[in-house]
Amino acid sequence: MPSGQLRFDDDVVIVTGAGRGLGRSHAQQFAARGARVVLNDIDLDVAKEAVAEIVAAGGTAVADDNNIATEEGAAELVKHALDEFGTLTVVVNNAGIINYHKLEDITPQLWSDMVSVTLNGTYFVTRAAWPTFLANDYGRVVNTTSNAGFAGNETLVHYGAAKLGIAGFTKALSQEVAGTGIHVNAIAPMAVTRMNRDAFFGGKESASDDWRDDLKSGRVPMGPPSAVSPTVLWLAHRDTQVNGDVFSTSSGKVSRVGFIVGEGYFNPDYTPEDLRDNVDAVRSLDNYLDPVRGTGDELALIPPLFQQ
């Protein structure tokens, strides 16, 4: 079994939304292990502050404030990485926004803004990096979805929709690169950040020297970004062969998220009444299928059912 520290000395990493929170932590941990990092944030001042911290610690990093919610901005970000460091090996799509509204209060503009930054930004940056990855037959993409996408959360309809879209993007794209040196995965992180602290606990941050104490006492609901970043680094490393997975990661717990299909109820001549009368079988997740190779996994089960 491999041993030793996972290093990134030959890697150039783009982290979007890297000025604060999760993205800043990801960038710091990449740089501490030898990566050259491009910290992208729409707020250039905070990106520069984060870069200064990395450089002061002996790392290599540059700031970038291109708007990844546009095709042009994403292309300029990738160009910046290539111009600065000559190559690109890792993209961490972390940028996103969050706001809390019930459906009736989500205006078309709020919906559009959410999708533009969170989902479209992931697409634009990945697509801009893609020619480099294809030419090198190597690359790592780590996207950021959310438990709010696949588990749901009231007042986060727009956020959940965009985040679940990222999960679908991850699963589909990973199949396009199967068997190559390009791997695409996603995390569903939960951490105390500037974006969510007001909603979760009145703006309070961990007050003790060890966040574990505040988590145990119930003062905070989850750990800091630094407890999430190791999952990102693991998925971004060239020795990691995982592809097409989503991992929930928070407070030291990391676990694979599955999108499963139950055994269900089968009757080629079924009626609405049949579903009413067999609702338990329809809803059951016993004997489930995990369609890791795509929709074909489920479709392959249909012909044998006709032979029973």
Side-chain angles (χ1 to χ4, degrees), residues 16-294:
T16 66
R20 300 183 176 93
L22 286 164
R24 190 170 188 152
S25 174
H26 302 340
Q28 288 172 336
Q29 293 195 27
F30 272 116
R33 291 171 179 257
R36 292 161 288 170
V37 188
V38 180
L39 286 76
N40 166 262
D41 199 287
I42 198 72
D43 187 333
L44 185 59
D45 288 338
V46 298
K48 286 182 175 180
E49 289 175 7
V51 166
E53 290 181 359
I54 289 173
V55 172
T60 302
V62 295
D64 180 278
D65 66 344
N66 281 292
N67 181 7
I68 54 90
T70 69
E71 181 180 7
E72 297 78 14
E76 285 300 314
L77 166 59
V78 170
K79 183 177 184 299
H80 187 179
L82 294 173
D83 288 347
E84 190 77 30
F85 298 121
T87 190
L88 176 63
T89 57
V90 178
V91 166
V92 179
N93 288 306
N94 168 75
I97 59 175
I98 191 169
N99 47 66
Y100 301 84
H101 302 282
K102 291 188 175 181
L103 179 62
E104 60 267 29
D105 298 320
I106 299 174
T107 64
Q109 188 61 56
L110 284 170
W111 181 276
S112 178
D113 290 345
M114 181 65 69
V115 172
S116 292
V117 176
T118 306
L119 179 56
N120 291 353
T122 296
Y123 156 70
F124 285 137
V125 175
T126 305
R127 191 171 186 272
W130 213 240
T132 300
F133 288 176
L134 291 176
N136 295 334
D137 192 32
Y138 180 81
R140 295 290 186 268
V141 179
V142 183
N143 295 322
T144 308
T145 181
S146 171
N147 302 72
F150 46 81
N153 199 105
E154 62 178 343
T155 71
L156 286 177
V157 171
H158 51 338
Y159 179 81
K163 287 296 190 179
L164 191 56
I166 290 173
F169 177 81
T170 299
K171 300 292 282 187
L173 187 57
S174 70
Q175 293 175 32
E176 291 189 14
V177 299
T180 75
I182 304 170
H183 295 161
V184 184
N185 294 284
I187 62 165
M190 291 186 288
V192 175
T193 68
R194 178 184 59 88
M195 288 203 309
N196 67 21
R197 66 190 181 204
D198 291 341
F200 280 113
F201 44 95
K204 295 179 181 178
E205 297 185 76
S206 182
S208 70
D209 292 334
D210 190 339
W211 58 268
R212 297 165 183 81
D213 292 337
D214 279 350
L215 189 59
K216 291 175 184 176
S217 68
R219 176 182 169 84
V220 295
M222 60 194 75
S226 60
V228 167
S229 298
T231 307
V232 175
L233 270 66
W234 168 61
L235 291 172
H237 197 269
R238 61 187 62 247
D239 289 346
T240 301
Q241 297 305 304
V242 173
N243 183 43
D245 281 342
V246 176
F247 294 92
S248 178
T249 175
S250 175
S251 311
K253 182 180 184 295
V254 182
S255 53
R256 179 170 169 257
V257 175
F259 296 88
I260 61 175
V261 181
E263 185 176 36
Y265 165 78
F266 177 71
N267 176 356
D269 301 310
Y270 81 100
T271 65
E273 292 75 22
D274 289 324
L275 298 183
R276 176 197 63 197
D277 298 341
N278 292 275
V279 62
D280 289 341
V282 172
R283 297 189 70 244
S284 174
L285 290 175
D286 293 340
N287 302 316
Y288 64 82
L289 167 72
D290 181 7
V292 294
R293 293 171 297 184

